[in-house]
Amino acid sequence: MEGTQPLNRRAALTGLATFALVGPAYSAPPRLDLSGRYQQGGFALGRTAPRAQIFLDGQEVTQASATGAFVVGFDRDAGPNAVVRAVAPGGESVRTLSIAPGDYDIQHIGGLGGRSTRKASPELEARIAWETRRKREAFASRAEREDFTGGFVLPVAYTRVSGRFGGQRIFNGVPRPPHYGIDLAAPRGTAVYAPAGGVVTLAENGLLYEGGLITIDHGQGLVSAYLHLSRIDVLRGQVVRQGELIAAVGATGRATGPHLCWRVLWRGRHMDPMLMVGARAPA
């Protein structure tokens, strides 16, 4: 046919070889690198394709950051296995993790009389409901940050643990709510520092149970809380750096003595803050 050029056999073979190399790479599953503490109350820090969708046990829970970083948390009562899946346009990758049981202080106390069931006043009920909403909003924060990748440090210096994470009392066979924080004993006025960078989602004095309370979102719904503070040095919406002064230890709210109750939640799952200390995401 007029104007038709003869087929160059070498060029055709080269093109096929190039397609063979490029095709599989285009459809390759995303990387899925994980590190962390795979136990009840623990976590996994991950690195995958940018903006990949992250699933935990079949439920979509978060999206990787622009650099591919993400975090997932395991609740105090998490099951023996966790399945982490990253889904990107090129495919998906899956890791199944064995979750070790936590070591919790459980106290069985029997022979007690019935507990008082005196009803709270309408004013007190209204206050509790208002404070609960404020705290729920703070813990529901989903800041577009990845401060969690750099690891955590202790929020107070030269301290001792006076209450471990996960402890629980069982009165007359009836379990009470577990202790979801770690209590760090320290004198009143001891400086409290941000253990990791993030944005302050709540900075409130005078709460009924917590007294002075600060919450910080470190990215993707990983939110830490600092209870019973005698002084608050940050404002809601403020961005803090790791090691920045945020408050002072106190005994406000329902506290029997000066200490810092430090808590960490990830999307409603209660985590052991001490497990986060020193952890870093894969490069």
Side-chain angles (χ1 to χ4, degrees):
M1 181 181 296
E2 185 178 353
T4 301
Q5 298 297 321
L7 177 65
N8 186 317
R9 186 169 182 273
R10 179 176 295 179
L13 292 174
T14 301
L16 289 173
T18 302
F19 177 79
L21 291 173
V22 173
Y26 176 78
S27 60
R31 62 179 287 198
L32 181 54
D33 299 330
L34 299 175
S35 65
R37 307 286 174 84
Y38 309 148
Q39 66 184 75
Q40 291 178 326
F43 62 93
L45 300 177
R47 188 75 67 175
T48 185
R51 302 303 183 190
Q53 301 303 118
I54 306 301
F55 292 76
L56 179 62
D57 296 331
Q59 178 185 5
E60 185 175 353
V61 289
T62 190
Q63 183 184 57
S65 71
T67 66
F70 69 92
V71 58
V72 294
F74 310 125
D75 192 73
R76 173 193 182 273
D77 301 312
N81 297 292
V83 179
V84 180
R85 181 162 60 105
V87 179
E92 64 178 56
S93 295
V94 181
R95 289 275 303 276
T96 299
L97 307 176
S98 296
I99 306 301
D103 178 22
Y104 305 136
D105 297 325
I106 307 296
Q107 300 179 31
H108 292 264
I109 304 172
L112 299 179
R115 297 175 61 87
S116 172
T117 57
R118 186 174 60 181
K119 186 175 177 60
S121 67
E123 293 79 13
L124 181 57
E125 288 185 340
R127 175 185 177 184
I128 293 173
W130 180 83
E131 292 183 1
T132 299
R133 286 194 299 272
R134 295 273 290 169
K135 289 179 286 187
R136 187 179 294 120
E137 291 170 359
F139 282 114
S141 176
R142 302 288 186 266
E144 183 67 25
R145 307 183 63 86
E146 52 181 71
D147 299 276
F148 57 84
T149 61
F152 282 59
V153 297
L154 285 173
V156 292
Y158 308 111
T159 186
R160 66 178 178 86
V161 175
S162 58
R164 296 174 61 206
F165 171 83
Q168 188 176 34
R169 292 179 175 178
I170 300 176
F171 293 108
N172 295 335
V174 179
R176 301 294 296 163
H179 183 229
Y180 287 125
I182 186 85
D183 289 341
L184 303 176
R188 189 188 310 269
T190 299
V192 178
Y193 303 98
V199 58
V200 177
T201 58
L202 187 66
E204 197 84 42
N205 279 303
L207 298 181
L208 180 64
Y209 298 111
E210 297 84 3
L213 172 66
I214 292 174
T215 59
I216 302 175
D217 186 349
H218 306 285
Q220 297 192 351
L222 184 69
V223 180
S224 60
Y226 311 84
L227 287 66
H228 310 307
L229 304 170
S230 62
R231 190 187 73 242
I232 292 177
D233 298 319
V234 292
L235 299 173
R236 182 172 178 268
Q238 180 176 337
V239 174
V240 296
R241 304 180 306 277
Q242 184 181 69
E244 184 174 342
L245 178 67
I246 60 173
V249 170
T252 57
R254 299 287 176 88
T256 57
H259 71 282
L260 176 69
C261 180
W262 179 24
R263 300 186 178 189
V264 174
L265 277 84
W266 177 77
R267 298 175 181 259
R269 295 166 172 84
H270 297 274
M271 300 165 58
D272 184 348
M274 295 296 283
L275 297 179
M276 299 292 300
V277 176
R280 289 183 175 272

